[in-house]
Amino acid sequence: MKNYAFINANVITENASDDVLKNATVVVKDGKIAAVGTSVPVPEGTKTIDLKGKYLMPGLINLHVHLPGSGMPKDTKKQNKKTVRKLMSNPLTKYIVYKLCASYAKVDLMSGVTTIRTVGGLDDIDSKIRDASEKGKLAAPRVIASNMAVSVEGGHMAGLLAYEAKDPEDGRNYVRKIARTKPDLIKLMITGGVLDAEKEGEPGVLRMSPEIVAACCDEAHKLGFKVAAHVESPLGVKVALKGGVDTIEHGAALDDEDVELFKAHKAAHVLTISPTVPLCMFEPEVSGGTELHRKNGLVVFEGMLDCAKKCLAAGVPVGLGTDTACPFVTHYDMWRELGYFVKYLRVSNDFALKTATIGNAKIAGIDNVTGSVEVGKSADFLIVAENPLEDISALRRPETVVLRGKIYRKPKVKKFEYVENELDKHL
């Protein structure tokens, strides 16, 4: 069905008074929005779909996803260099990994996320899923793909989702190698993380030298790519911004110089609260972590919130991502990230929705394509029964998802009951 019209819809759009166009019509033609408004005529012969007052909004955009993982805690313990490289060296097992990643991408879509930005994947799998989605051969969101990342020996995700650069020239070579797989951006693993921290109070230890950071950013920018950087310490933020990264993923406490660096480089902060909640709020016997993980998780949690608060106050763009594939962070729970944003940053539901749609689209450089319900943009919608402006958890239950005009009615997602039950305790 290429051409149709949703009628009697409550449309959530940044251009509406009170952010809702009541009893509106949205006309879709060839996968794009042809008209939207409260007095829009439906072209003769166009099929109508009566939403009966349900809420139609832009599809969610998740700016921080790792496709090779479900988020189920037990699955994360299977990751090691030897196993990953063995899987990727054989065409048959690599195809199996591709199919698994594609199945996780479908979960994203069925949960109402119509665009994902991958920031560390396996070989060229992310860009292949992107291409298959664009051609309509795969039920998956629009994908902004990074493919493999660049790390250093002993660095975050080194040998798993990232190459190990030994020096600046090696970093440049790896950026060029990744570029040949046709990604959309380059990802750097500049600091360590909570799970690989060795000392209490020192998560996010700087692993990548400033020289390698600068070399990778320079090479990526020469090739036309933006750079996203895994950073979980104040020193890491400073090194990353001075080196030229475009987005700080996760973040850490900022000083005044950092804020000015964000502004000078026109960089953005991508906030990922989701993985820190189980780390620092669950008991270790529930999270599967250690007391060290819990204490360091709290450091990162507080640092990320400080980063987001100061960026918002200074007018620096802040986006949202889940860091999906971390323990307890599934492909269907982007709605929780919005809930955490509201809870811990004390923003309104309206602000959270705009951040996860048009705001994220601007950071990703696709706001001319998607992110809002506007004429000419892709028909990427999430339709829910209740008003998420009043209750953000309405996003938890998609009635319909639309991507590039293709309708997915009553989308089904298999959820991990154990994970859901534990996370629901911290809503």
Side-chain angles (χ1 to χ4, degrees):
M1 183 167 57
K2 289 186 176 181
N3 305 327
Y4 55 88
F6 290 111
I7 62 172
N8 297 320
N10 283 320
V11 179
I12 298 176
T13 171
E14 62 175 348
N15 295 324
S17 59
D18 298 323
D19 297 304
V20 177
L21 286 173
K22 297 178 180 178
N23 299 314
T25 296
V26 180
V27 179
V28 175
K29 183 177 181 180
D30 297 326
K32 292 188 176 182
I33 302 168
V36 56
T38 55
S39 57
V40 170
V42 176
E44 187 176 347
T46 300
K47 179 179 175 63
T48 60
I49 302 169
D50 191 347
L51 292 189
K52 300 178 180 178
K54 292 175 183 175
Y55 291 81
L56 182 151
M57 59 173 282
L60 298 175
I61 299 172
N62 188 338
L63 289 183
H64 198 111
V65 173
H66 300 285
L67 284 176
S70 66
M72 189 65 177
K74 64 180 179 61
D75 292 343
T76 62
K77 296 178 181 179
K78 299 176 182 177
Q79 300 169 349
N80 63 74
K81 283 189 199 180
K82 186 176 180 181
T83 301
V84 168
R85 285 304 107 198
K86 186 175 181 180
L87 287 171
M88 301 309 291
S89 64
N90 180 288
L92 176 59
T93 53
K94 182 175 180 179
Y95 178 72
I96 293 171
V97 173
Y98 166 84
K99 294 292 286 184
L100 185 65
C101 290
S103 72
Y104 292 149
K106 183 178 180 179
V107 172
D108 282 294
L109 178 61
M110 294 301 108
S111 71
V113 176
T114 53
T115 300
I116 60 173
R117 175 174 171 261
T118 68
V119 279
L122 293 169
D123 292 6
D124 58 351
I125 285 177
D126 293 355
S127 57
K128 284 184 174 178
I129 291 172
R130 173 199 65 200
D131 295 346
S133 173
E134 287 180 0
K135 294 174 183 176
K137 295 180 178 180
L138 192 67
R142 174 180 288 101
V143 179
I144 302 166
S146 72
N147 293 334
M148 290 287 284
V150 181
S151 187
V152 294
E153 188 175 355
H156 194 62
M157 289 296 171
L160 291 168
L161 306 181
Y163 297 117
E164 300 170 272
K166 297 178 180 62
D167 54 46
E169 190 54 37
D170 209 27
R172 288 181 183 275
N173 288 336
Y174 278 128
V175 169
R176 289 192 286 266
K177 181 175 182 177
I178 295 165
R180 289 194 288 273
T181 67
K182 299 181 180 180
D184 300 297
L185 72 153
I186 298 295
K187 173 71 181 297
L188 304 183
M189 304 291 189
I190 292 177
T191 74
V194 173
L195 298 181
D196 52 24
E198 297 170 355
K199 295 180 181 180
E200 182 180 328
E202 291 186 12
V205 171
L206 185 66
R207 303 290 188 192
M208 184 176 285
S209 72
E211 293 77 16
I212 295 178
V213 173
C216 288
C217 289
D218 181 63
E219 194 65 31
H221 291 154
K222 283 180 180 178
L223 295 171
F225 298 109
K226 287 191 173 183
V227 179
H230 167 98
V231 176
E232 293 188 352
S233 68
L235 177 58
V237 169
K238 205 172 294 290
V239 167
L241 291 172
K242 286 184 175 180
V245 306
D246 299 287
T247 60
I248 295 290
E249 311 289 313
H250 317 303
L254 304 182
D255 60 24
D256 292 343
E257 182 189 22
D258 298 327
V259 173
E260 293 307 312
L261 285 169
F262 264 108
K263 291 180 177 179
H265 291 280
K266 297 182 179 179
H269 174 217
V270 176
L271 179 64
T272 59
I273 300 174
S274 293
T276 63
V277 169
L279 273 172
C280 65
M281 297 183 190
F282 289 10
E283 293 298 327
E285 58 266 25
V286 176
S287 69
T290 65
E291 190 60 28
L292 177 64
H293 293 149
R294 186 177 186 178
K295 290 178 179 178
N296 283 336
L298 184 59
V299 172
V300 172
F301 171 75
E302 292 175 344
M304 285 196 299
L305 296 186
D306 181 82
C307 187
K309 287 175 183 176
K310 288 177 179 173
C311 282
L312 289 172
V316 173
V318 174
L320 297 178
T322 57
D323 204 0
T324 296
C326 284
F328 290 92
V329 188
T330 69
H331 287 274
Y332 54 76
D333 265 350
M334 176 63 182
W335 74 272
R336 288 187 192 274
E337 188 67 30
L338 278 75
Y340 297 145
F341 193 42
V342 170
K343 181 177 181 177
Y344 296 114
L345 273 297
R346 300 188 182 280
V347 301
S348 66
N349 287 5
D350 177 58
F351 188 83
L353 290 171
K354 284 185 171 67
T355 299
T357 53
I358 190 63
N360 276 358
K362 288 177 179 177
I363 290 172
I366 56 170
D367 53 303
N368 62 326
V369 174
T370 189
S372 58
V373 184
E374 294 183 76
V375 172
K377 289 191 177 183
S378 179
D380 299 348
F381 308 135
L382 168 58
I383 298 170
V384 292
E386 298 167 341
N387 187 357
L389 291 168
E390 297 176 354
D391 182 0
I392 210 77
S393 69
L395 304 177
R396 186 177 196 168
R397 299 170 291 276
E399 293 274 330
T400 301
V401 178
V402 183
L403 174 63
R404 301 187 182 99
K406 184 172 182 178
I407 299 173
Y408 298 89
R409 291 187 175 88
K410 301 294 181 185
K412 301 293 184 184
V413 171
K414 183 179 179 181
K415 298 186 177 182
F416 306 125
E417 186 176 356
Y418 165 70
V419 171
E420 291 296 280
N421 289 342
E422 293 299 330
L423 289 173
D424 281 352
K425 296 173 184 177
H426 297 271
L427 288 174

